[in-house]
Each structure stands twice: as C-alpha cells, then as structure tokens.
Amino acid sequence: MGVNIRGRSFLKLLDFTTDEIKYLLALSADFKAMKRSGVPHRYLEGKNIVLLFEKTSTRTRCAFETAGYDLGMGVTFLDQNSSQMGKKESLRDTANVLGRMYDGIEYRGYEQKVVEDLAKYSGVPVWNGLTDDFHPTQMLADILTVQEEFGQIRGRKLTFFGDARNNVANSLMVVCAKLGMHYCACGPKEQMPKPELVEECRRIAQETGAVIELTDDVRKGAGNASVLYTDIWVSMGEDPSLWEERIRLLKPYQINAEVMAMAAPDAVFLHCLPSFHDRNTTVGEDIYQRFGLACMEVTDDVFYGPRSRVFDEAENRQHTIKAVMYATLK
Ligand code: CP
Ligand code: NVA
C-alpha cells in the first residue's frame, strides 16, 4: 500500500513510520532534481501558508519561504513582535484564526506543547520548525545528505558530539532509530539525552535493527563512524550564563582534525548550522574575549575541510521542507 500523509502535521519524527520517512526522503530527492534542472513545480498554487517564528532563523525561514514560492503558494512571515499571539491572544484563539485563513502553519519556538496545540486547534497541517525538544525538518535534510554521500544508510554509524540532549541530538537519535542506523551520543554524562527518550528509541531500534549507543569516550564515539555531527553548546532559549559551564563540559568533545582522524576514512562532517567555528560572529568574539576560545564545537579547518558537507546539508533544508509541505498539503 502506498504512503499517504496528506492532512497530517509534522511535529516530531516519533509520529511517523519508517516508510513515511523514506517516502519524504524520496520525494525530497525528486524535488531537488526538479529544482536543479529548472522544472517548474507550482503544485500548490492558490494555497497560502504562515510562518510563525518566536526564535530567530536563517535556514528554516528561507527554506520555508523559497519552497513555498516554488510550490506556487502565498507566504506570510510573523515574528514574535508582529502578531498578537501569546500577548493579547491565546494560542488557541490564534490557531483558530490562522486555520481559517491559511492552508498550513510553520512554528518555531520553545515548548513542544505549543506546536502540538497549534495543530490541535488550527485544523490544518502544522510543521515544527524547531522547538526546545525537536527539530524534525532538519533531520530530513541531514539524512538526505548522508544518503547522497553513501547511498545505503542502514547500519551506518552517526555520532553526535557535544550537547547530546538538545533538540537536534534528540531528533537525530529518533531518525537513526527509525531508519536502522547506528546512533552514538558522545558527550559528558551531564548532557546525555533523557532516559525516557533513549528507552523509546531503543524500543524502535529493536524493530528496525538500529543501535543506540551513549558514551563519554571520544575515541569510542568517533571509531568507525561515517558521520561526525555537532551543534552549538548553548541553544536558543537557554540562559547565556550557561556558556561557562558548557565550555568546561563540552570542550573535550570539539570536532577537530584529531577526532576526524579517529573516524572511518570516508567519514563526513555535518552541522545543522549556525556554527561557532571562528571569531567572525558577535557571540564567537565575545566567547574568545571571555574564555580565550577561538572556535567552539568544531575547528575552522574541519568546518571548511574536504570532508565537510555542511552547505549541501543547508541547501537540502529547502528540498526536504518542500517535500513535507507538498506531501501534507497536496
Ligand atoms: N539549522 C537551522 O535550523 O538553522 P536556522 O536557525 O538558521 O533556521
Ligand atoms: N540546538 C540549536 C539548533 C539551531 C538550529 C538551537 O536550538 O539553538
């Protein structure tokens, strides 16, 4: 039987079967080929979507906007200062109103419950553009990039270094579990994923043949890995006072040339971005001034090195988000 996710929301990957995720990845590759060869695909002409951003964004916002335009849709962008949501109007009422005017809603913000409630009350597909817990659209772009590199992904080891309990790391563990990959969270005990999520992923892994591993040993984490992945050490919405402690805890888990050399010879480097790999940002410079660290989760040489695929990964955000919107709205 074919896969059909029309009318569904895309809130977290735990809600989707392995076949549904594979279907979205195949659709993403099709959209990428169309985009590359200039084949128009205005399949959703006449529909309108709204993008709600309570946290800042470059990739996710631009991917939703450009994908929406490519599909022929009208797109409205609202940030935290340009709507009544939360301040003068409850989430429930906002969802009701937006559901009357728009065919789909993207939401980036804090609690996962907000995006779940938006879906509950709006009556239209809602797409999670990042919450404190999960970043599911990022996963499709990441896995598409891994597939482009290696073809077959089953059994491949992907290791996440650093803050292994953040939204990106949580989502990587889920997607690897669903797709039968070997996921390794490599970081200090303090930053390991919540036990309930690990248990849930290990349950899924029993059905898919995936492996879920947790380690604080960098050599063990990198050994035999095909993908080395990292993310910033303090996520959006977390207290900036955490930097000092996170630097202390996570510095040993920085991805540098030495760590790359411990991985499989053909291993690639991925990062959801944005990344602190130099002093060319205000935060990067501030950290350098305060702690003397010129790069954080990844060194500049790895970030721009021959094994880095971070800009392919970023481009794939557009193709994969397009697939999610098309599959749920068509
Ligand atoms: N990876 C990602 O979500 O990037 P933005 O924060 O720029 O959207
Ligand atoms: N963990 C990061 C991801 C950014 C795309 C954050 O939430 O800030």
Side-chain angles (χ1 to χ4, degrees):
M1 213 172 79
V3 171
N4 182 1
I5 61 165
R6 188 166 173 229
R8 299 255 306 269
S9 285
F10 191 75
L11 306 175
K12 56 185 186 306
L13 286 170
L14 288 168
D15 302 337
F16 288 81
T17 64
T18 299
D19 282 349
E20 287 166 345
I21 296 169
K22 285 185 180 165
Y23 159 73
L24 286 170
L25 288 165
L27 198 56
S28 304
D30 289 347
F31 274 121
K32 184 167 184 172
M34 279 191 264
K35 180 81 178 166
R36 287 274 168 103
S37 53
V39 176
H41 40 278
R42 298 174 65 83
Y43 301 149
L44 299 180
E45 217 149 26
K47 293 191 189 286
N48 294 304
I49 58 167
V50 61
L51 314 180
L52 303 177
F53 279 82
E54 296 199 307
K55 290 175 178 169
T56 52
S57 166
T58 298
R59 276 146 292 274
T60 309
R61 174 187 175 175
C62 296
F64 269 100
E65 286 207 21
T66 53
Y69 297 139
D70 283 352
L71 289 167
M73 295 195 285
V75 181
T76 303
F77 170 79
L78 295 175
D79 66 15
Q80 69 273 39
N81 300 316
S82 50
S83 82
Q84 315 284 23
M85 183 167 136
K87 297 181 290 283
K88 287 167 69 183
E89 193 160 38
S90 68
L91 177 79
R92 183 175 180 163
D93 294 355
T94 308
N96 263 301
V97 172
L98 295 176
R100 300 287 181 111
M101 297 191 190
Y102 291 95
D103 300 285
I105 303 172
E106 181 275 356
Y107 174 81
R108 166 174 285 198
Y110 299 86
E111 285 171 49
Q112 179 70 16
K113 186 176 182 309
V114 174
V115 80
E116 306 268 350
D117 282 351
L118 267 176
K120 186 165 151 195
Y121 296 120
S122 67
V124 297
V126 171
W127 310 296
N128 179 356
L130 180 147
T131 60
D132 293 343
D133 294 341
F134 295 112
H135 195 5
T137 62
Q138 178 72 50
M139 296 306 111
L140 298 176
D142 298 345
I143 299 299
L144 183 64
T145 312
V146 178
Q147 271 180 347
E148 288 169 346
E149 187 68 32
F150 298 110
Q152 185 60 253
I153 56 168
R154 243 184 99 77
R156 287 216 175 253
K157 179 174 170 185
L158 180 154
T159 301
F160 181 93
F161 291 84
D163 183 11
R165 61 183 319 166
N166 78 11
N167 41 18
V168 168
N170 285 343
S171 308
L172 282 169
M173 183 163 69
V174 175
V175 81
C176 288
K178 291 270 180 181
L179 296 176
M181 294 176 67
H182 177 167
Y183 176 76
C184 177
C186 185
K189 295 195 169 54
E190 292 86 339
Q191 300 303 122
M192 279 293 148
K194 290 197 179 109
E196 312 86 75
L197 187 61
V198 176
E199 272 167 40
E200 193 163 359
C201 289
R202 285 195 168 138
R203 265 198 304 276
I204 298 166
Q206 279 177 356
E207 289 162 25
T208 63
V211 174
I212 306 295
E213 180 188 359
L214 312 180
T215 181
D216 61 1
D217 181 333
V218 172
R219 192 163 288 281
K220 212 168 149 205
N224 211 24
S226 294
V227 183
L228 303 192
Y229 198 121
T230 188
D231 186 11
I232 54 171
W233 291 342
V234 176
S235 285
M236 290 184 281
E238 291 195 300
D239 194 329
S241 70
L242 286 169
W243 273 114
E244 188 170 357
E245 189 201 359
R246 290 286 166 82
I247 287 171
R248 182 178 58 78
L249 286 171
L250 300 178
K251 205 164 156 243
Y253 299 93
Q254 177 190 69
I255 300 185
N256 50 38
E258 201 186 328
V259 177
M260 286 301 290
M262 295 174 194
D266 60 349
V268 293
F269 170 73
L270 294 185
H271 191 309
C272 56
L273 308 183
S275 159
F276 295 123
H277 57 90
D278 58 24
R279 292 167 57 192
N280 299 328
T281 60
T282 48
V283 175
E285 180 59 17
D286 178 55
I287 295 292
Y288 176 75
Q289 294 301 334
R290 286 161 58 206
F291 305 103
L293 223 65
C295 43
M296 288 189 259
E297 71 275 7
V298 56
T299 52
D300 226 27
D301 57 330
V302 170
F303 187 85
Y304 288 123
R307 305 310 302 163
S308 176
R309 298 290 179 270
V310 294
F311 297 112
D312 299 305
E313 186 186 5
E315 178 196 323
N316 284 339
R317 300 296 309 286
Q318 185 193 57
H319 310 302
T320 47
I321 280 173
K322 193 179 283 177
V324 170
M325 289 199 290
Y326 174 71
T328 54
L329 291 184
K330 71 182 168 142

